Structure formats: structure tokens, C-alpha cells
Amino acid sequence: MTEIVRACDGRALAVEEFGRPDGSPVFVLHGMPGSRLGPFPKPSLLYQLGVRLIAYDRPGYGESDRHPGRNVADAAQDVARIADALGIERFAVLGRSGGGPHALACAALLPGRVTRVAVLVGLAESTGPSESWTEPMNGFNRRAYRAAESGAGAVKAKLETERYRSDPALIVQELYEELTESDRRVVDDAGIRSELIRSYTEGIRLSADGWVDDMLAFVIPWGFRQTDVTAPTLIWHGADDRFSPVGHARALAENIPDCRVLIQPGRGHFSAFKVMPDVISMLTDDHRGWNSISPSMRRWALA
């Protein structure tokens, strides 16, 4: 059941919980576009893992009010506010895709509260010419990020947000042509495809402001130093990712002090959904840490 938490400035933040109510708390920050609805591991599996999974709509998505002009760093204050409302002092954070930078913001700016952080197929901060940051991306993302440098109007036009709002399933359909074979196998799973469309539908149901504001936030400075991420950090990336190419993972690792990077050959962007249960398990308080890797992860290349 969705709970509304008020941000420090009074904005509504829509929050959803999954798994075990008395479990180890893990905040999960959704992709772009996306929402508090997932896709996430099944609640029964989260319960078995002893995890209390907490998701929320970033500002402008779903039922959360927009926060005009927000940057990536602003996510930390919203997450802290939600944790306070739920009576949670310390917690782990996982960010997938566009949620990755926001998860790192939480770790950097809430050092006494974030126990561990994981980033799945995340983005690195753009610190130079946009061409070098976007060139390895697929055409859809490359065009959208370059449009974002010209402001909200340009990115709305490039994303064709109103057309996607009228039929969110088009997002999956039209991106399909640009997917790698490994990503197609994931998206062809009827359950995952259905959850993706459900999440997209909720995320842009009232407006596409959250999607646009995410884009704008990624092409300006994030508002925190990655060297301030002192919590143990795990970065997982598919070697064949074309949405946020693998170079972004390596760039993040160069700046985060206590960081382990797992690059999985033959996997793309949407493979993150398949590894999420293992990574969530590694984030729990009673886990032995990154040195204890599940059997399904042992074959991965370590970078």
C-alpha cells in the first residue's frame, strides 16, 4: 500500500514497501523512467532473504510531487526524510540505471546512515564534452542527453513524452530494436516485460516531469563528491550495455574509495533485473560483505 511522506519542503513522496516488515532495510532507487513499483524481486523471495525493501517515486514520477531544478544530490535529503518517517536509522541503498547516481548521493551525503551501496548499470558523472560521455550509448539515449543540454523544452520534444504517456508500452516496443540479444531475452520474459510497462505507466501517469528532470540533472554537476562515498560499494555492469556503457562503471570505480566492480560478459542493461536478488542479499546487515559472493556470481569477471 502506497504511503505518502512529506519532504522537508512539504512535497509529497510516494513510498512502497516489499518483503519482510522487520527485515534488514534496503532502499531501492528506480530507473529512468520508472516508479516505486519495480520491477523488483518477488515479495516472497525478499521475505526469505530477510529484506525490507523500500522504494519511492523520485520527484515528478508517479504520485511524488515535482521538485523543479533538482540535482542528483537532492535525493539524499528525500531518502533521509523517508527513513525518518519509517523509523529507520541505518540502511543500505541500491540504485539501478538512472537510480545509480542517486544511490551514490545517499552514500556520500548520509555517511552515518548508509551501510552499503550497490549500483547496477549506472551512469558516471559527465565531466567533459558530452560527445565522449554519450558516444557509446544507443541512439535513443544519445539524442536525449544531448537535447537535455539545451533545456527542458528540447528534451521533452526529443523524448516525445506525450506520445509515450498515451501508450507507455511504446517505450519497450521502440527500444526493442536497439537492444542486444541478451537484453531481448530478458525483456521477452512476459513477467519482466509486464512489470516494466506497469512501472513506466505509473511513473509517467500524471506527467513526464520526473523523466525530464532526471535527464536535466544528469548533464549538470551532481552536487556531491564521489570520493565522499565511504560506505562499501558494489558496482555491477553488463559488458554489452548500450544504455549506460560499461565505461561508466569503470569511471565510477576510479573515484569511489571502497569499491568493487563486477563486469559480466555477454550481458546488457536489463540483465540487472536478473542479478538484483543476489545483490540485495549482499547488502543486508548480516551479510559478510563483498568477499562472500554467491555461486551464481563466481564466474563473473572482476575489474
Side-chain angles (χ1 to χ4, degrees):
M1 184 174 181
T2 302
E3 179 177 351
I4 299 298
V5 172
R6 293 291 167 181
C8 294
D9 58 3
R11 287 178 292 107
L13 297 169
V15 181
E16 204 88 17
E17 295 193 51
F18 306 87
R20 187 167 177 164
D22 62 348
S24 181
V26 177
F27 275 81
V28 59
L29 281 70
H30 63 74
M32 176 189 70
S35 74
R36 68 192 185 282
L37 301 184
F40 304 131
K42 293 183 183 301
S44 58
L45 177 57
L46 293 171
Y47 195 93
Q48 292 172 14
L49 293 173
V51 171
R52 179 185 183 184
L53 197 72
I54 303 140
Y56 78 104
D57 293 332
R58 275 196 300 283
Y61 286 106
E63 296 186 25
S64 288
D65 291 337
R66 189 184 186 192
H67 183 183
R70 64 178 167 91
N71 64 9
V72 172
D74 289 329
Q77 189 174 63
D78 286 349
V79 168
R81 187 74 171 182
I82 294 168
D84 290 343
L86 299 179
I88 299 169
E89 177 57 33
R90 287 167 58 80
F91 48 88
V93 183
L94 181 152
R96 185 190 64 81
S97 189
H102 298 90
L104 292 174
C106 295
L109 300 174
L110 306 172
R113 305 189 70 173
V114 173
T115 56
R116 292 192 179 103
V117 59
V119 174
L120 308 182
V121 297
L123 290 163
E125 188 170 16
S126 176
T127 57
S130 63
E131 291 79 7
S132 60
W133 189 74
T134 61
E135 188 57 39
M137 295 179 180
N138 64 12
F140 183 90
N141 273 15
R142 185 169 61 250
R143 292 187 294 271
Y145 280 120
R146 291 183 179 176
E149 295 178 324
S150 298
V155 72
K156 280 184 179 180
K158 187 60 66 175
L159 288 174
E160 299 182 276
T161 54
E162 291 310 303
R163 188 167 69 88
Y164 288 127
R165 284 192 63 228
S166 68
D167 184 4
L170 287 174
I171 300 174
V172 176
Q173 293 172 15
E174 295 185 3
L175 286 178
Y176 195 84
E177 294 302 316
E178 297 191 83
L179 297 183
T180 62
E181 285 302 315
S182 62
D183 273 342
R184 288 183 180 185
R185 287 194 295 271
V186 176
V187 174
D188 283 341
D189 179 292
I192 289 179
R193 192 184 190 97
S194 174
E195 288 188 42
L196 266 176
I197 294 172
R198 176 173 174 252
S199 184
Y200 292 159
T201 300
E202 175 62 13
I204 60 177
R205 176 170 54 87
L206 298 178
S207 79
D209 290 340
W211 191 2
V212 172
D213 290 345
D214 267 353
M215 284 278 183
L216 297 176
F218 290 145
V219 298
I220 62 173
W222 286 359
F224 66 94
R225 296 182 301 180
Q226 292 164 48
T227 52
D228 288 339
V229 178
T230 56
T233 303
L234 178 69
I235 295 176
W236 181 92
H237 222 96
D240 297 339
D241 194 334
R242 294 296 176 266
F243 289 82
S244 42
V246 69
H248 285 248
R250 296 190 173 106
L252 288 173
E254 291 176 359
N255 297 310
I256 299 173
D258 185 4
C259 182
R260 187 166 193 177
V261 182
L262 300 175
I263 307 296
Q264 188 170 5
R267 295 294 183 268
H269 194 72
F270 290 98
S271 296
F273 295 129
K274 297 294 188 180
V275 304
M276 194 179 286
D278 277 330
V279 174
I280 288 173
S281 177
M282 294 171 70
L283 287 169
T284 57
D285 291 341
D286 59 352
H287 202 281
R288 289 176 290 168
W290 306 149
N291 291 327
S292 179
I293 297 179
S294 69
S296 64
M297 296 168 70
R298 289 174 186 162
R299 65 181 180 277
W300 298 355
L302 302 181

